Amino acid sequence: MKRFLLVAALASVAVLAGCHNAKKENIEPPTKLTELTPTLKVERLWKSSVGDGAVKTGVRLQPEVVDGVLYAASADGDLIAIDANTGKTVWRQKSRTHGWFGWGDKKRPDAFMAGGPTVAGDLLVVGTLDGHVYGLGAKDGAKRWTAEVTAEVITAPAIVGNLVVVRTADGRLYGLDSATGERRWAYDQTAVPTLSLRGNGPLLVANGVVFFGSDNGKLVALRMDNGEKLWEQGLSSGEGRTEIDRLNDADGAVVLDGSTLFAAAYHGQLSAVDGPSGRPLWNRPFSSYTSIDVHGNAVYGVDEQSNLWAFDKSGGADMWKQDALKYRWLTGPAAQGEYIVVGDLEGYVHWLASADGKLVARERLSKKAIRSQPVVVGNTVYVEDVEGHIGAYRIAAP
């Protein structure tokens, strides 16, 4: 079973940050926010919630927006569809167990949802902490099928055509029939480190290939039709004197831009790789525990100290660095037009100019940490915190 370190550490930072004894614990407090005169007008469209969010699971639950509907799940068994423009609930499903020995304890959830939801057409798929995958109707949340896998599912499945690809925390990937949930293939990662980050990078499926960052710092490509490994490329060397020093997990998203893949790893590198062949194009030292994003001529990433960086896409050279949010344990950055959006450990959402990294706007969703990468759809961004609060923000017309 995959052990976790970083999320627990970040949670400790979040708790201790407001205490007077933070320095005694040898933990850097988050950089204090200074007064900001916004140069970008941002308006909150609506705010809603889904259950209790991630509760104490440490997973990064992220909503999915498809055809004007936002779908979100919680670790206490809530599944909701929301009109992405108005915030009104379209439907809601609540999963409850039959209780101990069938006595009907309705307070105990039976679906600790932690991976997804993912939606394609009228199919919604979500994974759970107890090793189940559910296929449901996207229009009403009605259950269609159930599949069992070997371990917890803590990242969103991918749906492509008649195949659902699911990743489990023990290093395996499964190809499931999208109509029935029947297993069509399985891929078993050869080595999962005993100590690794709490999380799995999301799957990227393109051109008949499944790409993902592995628990041991590799970028891996599999055939989508049968799960056969095509190639792998190292993102981290895993060097160091202690197990913590040797942590080299690739927990962020792999981004495809044209035919080039971009990925980063903790205690590793930011790399550009040719998608068809797996041939490295360039790499540079960069340790990150979050997803990156690519927009225009730049790659955007957050390093292990929560500094936000922009790198030249063609060769990896520095473009700018923003350290005003250092130790605020930022989410992965999301590009929104000419701006970059991140959330932080105190529930703030920050907008920065993509050209120079200057802070241009700030809103507060809640007082709880935001861990999942914001979801951008056009000029609207959707943000979810660890307790299931969801906010929709729009950049106002000038």
Side-chain angles (χ1 to χ4, degrees):
M1 182 63 67
K2 187 179 179 185
R3 298 174 60 189
F4 69 91
L5 172 71
L6 186 59
V7 168
L10 296 185
S12 299
V13 170
V15 172
L16 292 171
C19 301
H20 295 294
N21 65 343
K23 290 186 177 180
K24 294 181 181 179
E25 301 290 341
N26 196 30
I27 295 174
E28 294 289 348
T31 300
K32 292 183 178 180
L33 298 178
T34 58
E35 186 175 349
L36 175 66
T37 302
T39 56
L40 175 70
K41 185 177 180 181
V42 175
E43 55 186 0
R44 189 170 78 187
L45 301 180
W46 52 262
K47 184 178 178 180
S48 187
S49 63
V50 53
D52 292 328
V55 290
K56 297 181 180 181
T57 64
V59 299
R60 297 183 293 226
L61 286 169
Q62 185 181 51
E64 168 97 324
V65 181
V66 177
D67 296 332
V69 180
L70 179 145
Y71 302 88
S74 70
D76 62 331
D78 231 11
L79 188 63
I80 191 170
I82 300 172
D83 186 301
N85 295 312
T86 67
K88 294 181 178 180
T89 299
V90 178
W91 56 258
R92 182 191 297 267
Q93 295 284 3
K94 190 77 173 179
S95 179
R96 291 298 181 191
T97 187
H98 296 296
W100 295 106
F101 306 106
W103 290 346
D105 182 358
K106 295 182 179 179
K107 294 182 180 180
R108 300 179 64 85
D110 69 350
F112 297 89
M113 300 179 193
T118 300
V119 175
D122 189 35
L123 176 64
L124 182 154
V125 180
V126 63
T128 72
L129 291 177
D130 61 356
H132 287 86
V133 183
Y134 296 115
L136 308 101
K139 292 182 180 179
D140 55 10
K143 190 177 291 186
R144 295 181 177 176
W145 51 260
T146 302
E148 290 191 28
V149 289
T150 53
E152 58 184 1
V153 181
I154 55 178
T155 191
I159 307 173
V160 180
N162 60 357
L163 193 70
V164 176
V165 185
V166 179
R167 181 177 184 179
T168 55
D170 60 356
R172 293 180 170 91
L173 273 73
Y174 296 92
L176 308 177
D177 187 286
S178 62
T180 64
E182 182 180 356
R183 185 181 301 179
R184 291 172 52 180
W185 57 258
Y187 166 79
D188 190 357
Q189 183 177 317
T190 55
V192 177
T194 303
L195 190 63
S196 58
L197 308 185
R198 174 60 168 169
N200 288 143
L203 303 169
L204 169 67
V205 181
N207 303 318
V209 181
V210 181
F211 302 98
F212 65 97
S214 72
D215 301 316
N216 57 358
K218 307 288 186 182
L219 176 58
V220 183
L222 309 179
R223 283 184 52 164
M224 187 181 72
D225 59 350
N226 61 12
E228 177 187 348
K229 184 163 72 173
L230 297 173
W231 54 259
E232 69 176 36
Q233 184 61 240
L235 299 173
S236 178
S237 60
E239 297 177 349
R241 298 181 61 184
T242 69
E243 284 194 60
I244 294 177
D245 290 335
R246 292 190 293 272
L247 273 172
N248 60 350
D249 213 336
D251 263 5
V254 179
V255 179
L256 179 65
D257 185 76
S259 61
T260 302
L261 297 163
F262 296 89
Y266 189 62
H267 288 167
Q269 303 175 119
L270 172 65
S271 299
V273 176
D274 178 68
S277 66
R279 177 176 59 88
L281 302 176
W282 58 259
N283 58 64
R284 55 157 300 141
F286 186 69
S287 176
S288 179
Y289 57 89
T290 69
S291 294
I292 59 173
D293 202 1
V294 178
H295 185 70
N297 66 340
V299 182
Y300 302 95
V302 171
D303 69 20
E304 62 182 357
Q305 296 181 333
S306 277
N307 298 302
L308 185 59
W309 294 76
F311 304 105
D312 176 63
K313 186 175 70 175
S314 63
D318 299 359
M319 295 176 66
W320 52 257
K321 174 187 176 183
Q322 174 58 268
D323 60 5
L325 304 175
K326 190 174 184 179
Y327 300 124
R328 297 193 66 83
W329 308 120
L330 303 178
T331 66
Q336 186 181 18
E338 299 177 0
Y339 305 97
I340 303 300
V341 190
V342 292
D344 75 12
L345 84 169
E346 294 179 329
Y348 286 100
V349 186
H350 308 271
W351 282 259
L352 303 88
S354 59
D356 56 12
K358 183 179 180 181
L359 287 159
V360 295
R362 179 190 305 144
E363 294 286 334
R364 195 170 197 179
L365 172 64
S366 68
K367 294 184 179 180
K368 302 302 179 180
I370 303 169
R371 292 193 185 129
S372 63
Q373 188 176 27
V375 176
V376 174
V377 181
N379 64 346
T380 305
V381 60
Y382 303 90
V383 185
E384 181 176 349
D385 74 9
V386 296
E387 290 196 353
H389 302 111
I390 303 171
Y393 299 90
R394 179 168 294 169
I395 295 176

